[in-house]
Amino acid sequence: MDPRLLPDNPYLLLTPGPLSTSKGVKAAMFRDWCTWDEDYNALVQDIRKQLVRLAGGGEELTAVLMQGSGTFCVESVIGTAVPREGKLLVLSNGAYGARIGEIARRLDIPLHLEDFGELEPPRPEDVARILAADPAVTHVAVVHCETTTGMHNPVADIGRAVKDAGKVFIVDAMSSFGGIPMTMAGIGADFLISSANKCIEGVPGFGFVVAAREEMEKLEGRARSLSLDLYGQWKEMEDKGGKWRYTSPTHVVRAFATALAELEAEGGVALRHARYSKNHHTLVSGMNRLGFECLLAPAYRSPIITSFLCPAWPGFTFTRLYEALKKRGFVIYPGKVSVADTFRIGSIGQVFPEDMERLVEAVSMSGLAE
Ligand SMILES: *Cc1c(COP(=O)(O)O)cnc(C)c1O
């Protein structure tokens, strides 16, 4: 039997997190783990170092882990990095960009939300124009892979425009870090946010931020929240050798350490990216053969998740497809765009091109294909 599947674990998750994880990642959680002692803190320090290395950095970068799902981490960055006299520009082309705007509104942070629609990426020339027209902006935030559609935003080009204008650049790389090669320097990011349960292939429970050390050091006293004080959390980890401020998700952190080792064993981000790309291409060509069309033009797609248009043919509904596939061992994801009726299939996690071929076969057998 497939070691990823157990009687209690009968399907693969083709979703953007939680994902299907390896046996090793699951096994790491199968005992009671203590917190606060030296062994645990050393493990946290090692994870922080590995994250900095994965982001292509050395001493000029630093990393901090934060309890909660990815959104908690985004909120901690927005709520801590932008000063009282600051203003945030959000370049939005989907639900996750909109969510960053919503965080700013809730926190009373002056906001300029620029909405590019769901089907087009923000372009660097637009960013330069917007920044020239609104000089009050101090910080710019964008989502790297908009998981709403699967859009791969040109984050390095945007980063150059942001840096040319001298602004602080915040990148939500939640669904892409570890699955698409990138470095902080390469994309011009000052703060990069991701979480345990996406391309590193851990389980949900915490997120992390890689930051320019110089920018992190400026953040003392800025946070608008106690538990989501990014600086407070960082300072504690930095000064106390890997200590968290409040109860840490120890089991999830242990699983994450295993996931990082497995990423290394796979050959690092480049090879993981190659696997995800192959998953994505196998999926798209198979679904196209069955008559399904993608929402986005090929140049805009990412290997992380793919949006398909719900076909108009008789009898097709997302719910029917979902149920049929779940019975055959695959869980897919509903759509999230407002401009079209779509569904999404993820290609990240412990999922391989053969799985995508089996999935296409399952769609074909469902009676819901053309
Ligand atoms: C998953 C994800 C998040 C965080 O979502 P949570 O549900 O809070 O984990 C944020 N941004 C993007 C682009 C994501 O894919």
Side-chain angles (χ1 to χ4, degrees), residues 16 69-72 74 96 99 143 145 147 172 174-175 197-198:
S69 83
T71 304
F72 292 59
V74 177
Y96 293 97
R99 188 179 295 174
V143 176
C145 275
T147 318
D172 172 349
M174 203 72 68
S175 60
N197 64 286
K198 303 246 172 156

Side-chain angles (χ1 to χ4, degrees), residues 4-53:
R4 293 166 300 178
L5 303 181
L6 300 164
D8 295 338
N9 195 40
Y11 44 71
L12 285 181
L13 297 174
L14 302 179
T15 56
L19 314 165
S20 287
T21 55
S22 72
K23 202 171 170 184
V25 165
K26 285 190 271 283
M29 297 181 288
F30 204 59
R31 56 162 278 190
D32 304 311
W33 286 107
C34 71
T35 181
W36 86 259
D37 74 1
E38 243 172 62
D39 288 346
Y40 180 65
N41 292 349
L43 181 86
V44 172
Q45 291 298 72
D46 186 55
I47 287 173
R48 294 176 64 212
K49 277 202 205 88
Q50 289 194 61
L51 291 174
V52 163
R53 220 169 32 241

Side-chain angles (χ1 to χ4, degrees), residues 21 28 38 43 112 142 154 157 174 189 250 255 275 315:
T21 55
E38 243 172 62
L43 181 86
H112 179 148
V142 75
D157 296 338
M174 203 72 68
T250 44
R275 171 164 64 88

Side-chain angles (χ1 to χ4, degrees), residues 14 147-148 305-308 332-336 342-346:
L14 302 179
T147 318
T148 314
I305 191 165
T306 310
S307 287
F308 293 95
I332 63 168
Y333 220 51
K336 204 169 182 162
T342 58
F343 63 94
R344 290 175 290 171
I345 301 181

Side-chain angles (χ1 to χ4, degrees), residues 70 74 96-97 99-100 141-147 155 170-177 191-194 198:
V74 177
Y96 293 97
R99 188 179 295 174
I100 300 176
V142 75
V143 176
H144 184 200
C145 275
E146 234 321 335
T147 318
V155 76
I170 299 167
V171 177
D172 172 349
M174 203 72 68
S175 60
S176 52
F177 187 74
F191 296 93
L192 178 149
I193 309 156
S194 188
K198 303 246 172 156

Side-chain angles (χ1 to χ4, degrees), residues 92-95 98 115-119 146 148-149 295 307 309 334-344:
S92 173
N93 58 345
D115 186 354
F116 293 82
E118 290 165 324
L119 304 181
E146 234 321 335
T148 314
T149 52
L295 173 73
S307 287
L309 294 166
K336 204 169 182 162
V337 296
S338 52
V339 293
D341 202 9
T342 58
F343 63 94
R344 290 175 290 171

